[in-house]
Amino acid sequence: MAKHILVVDDSVSIRQMVEVTLLSAKYQVSLAKDGQEGFDMCKKSRFDFVLTDQNMPRMDGITLVKSLRGLPGYQRTPIVMLTTEAGSDMKAKGKAAGATGWMVKPFNPAKLLELTSKVLG
């Protein structure tokens, strides 16, 4: 059974590029347009991996990570930030919130697949 990945990003083009990349490796992909929608989807479904942007309307990525860590079943789920934010202070905030990793946009599709394979073990 294919691993189910949730991609959370307010940019339609980024969501589409990430989706195409992950589908090429036979992952099952669901999309959310902001952190609140992603959080609501996680309350209803179980995802094996969450890939989220930081800067989004309604709920940012770090708040999403903190919120997901409080949900049953998401304490150990890999959550990686995919964002334009590259500062060490922001990465530290992400790590403190419970993010598994950090990838800076624009992303390299091969590196995204390598990271995805690594976090899904």
Side-chain angles (χ1 to χ4, degrees):
M1 184 179 212
K3 298 286 187 178
H4 194 183
I5 300 170
L6 176 63
V7 177
V8 185
D9 200 306
D10 60 331
S11 166
V12 173
S13 60
I14 293 293
R15 284 196 310 267
Q16 290 173 337
M17 287 189 291
V18 172
E19 181 181 34
V20 166
T21 300
L22 295 173
L23 288 174
S24 73
K26 309 294 185 209
Y27 292 110
Q28 180 181 356
V29 180
S30 292
L31 305 172
K33 66 178 184 279
D34 59 45
Q36 185 62 56
E37 184 177 48
F39 184 65
D40 291 343
M41 291 172 71
C42 287
K43 288 192 288 188
K44 296 175 185 168
S45 300
R46 178 73 179 95
F47 295 95
D48 299 299
F49 174 36
V50 177
L51 190 61
T52 182
D53 186 18
Q54 164 53 20
N55 299 312
M56 300 177 285
R58 299 201 311 152
M59 181 187 289
D60 64 45
I62 289 177
T63 303
L64 175 61
V65 172
K66 286 181 188 172
S67 299
L68 289 178
R69 293 302 184 211
L71 282 182
Y74 281 93
Q75 288 83 15
R76 301 180 68 139
T77 300
I79 306 173
V80 171
M81 306 289 296
L82 177 63
T83 178
T84 56
E85 298 282 351
S88 58
D89 57 330
M90 190 60 80
K91 289 180 182 177
K93 288 180 183 177
K95 186 174 182 178
T100 308
W102 197 278
M103 180 175 255
V104 177
K105 295 177 193 171
F107 70 94
N108 174 315
K111 295 252 184 216
L112 178 61
L113 291 177
E114 181 181 315
L115 172 74
T116 301
S117 177
K118 182 179 175 182
V119 298
L120 288 173

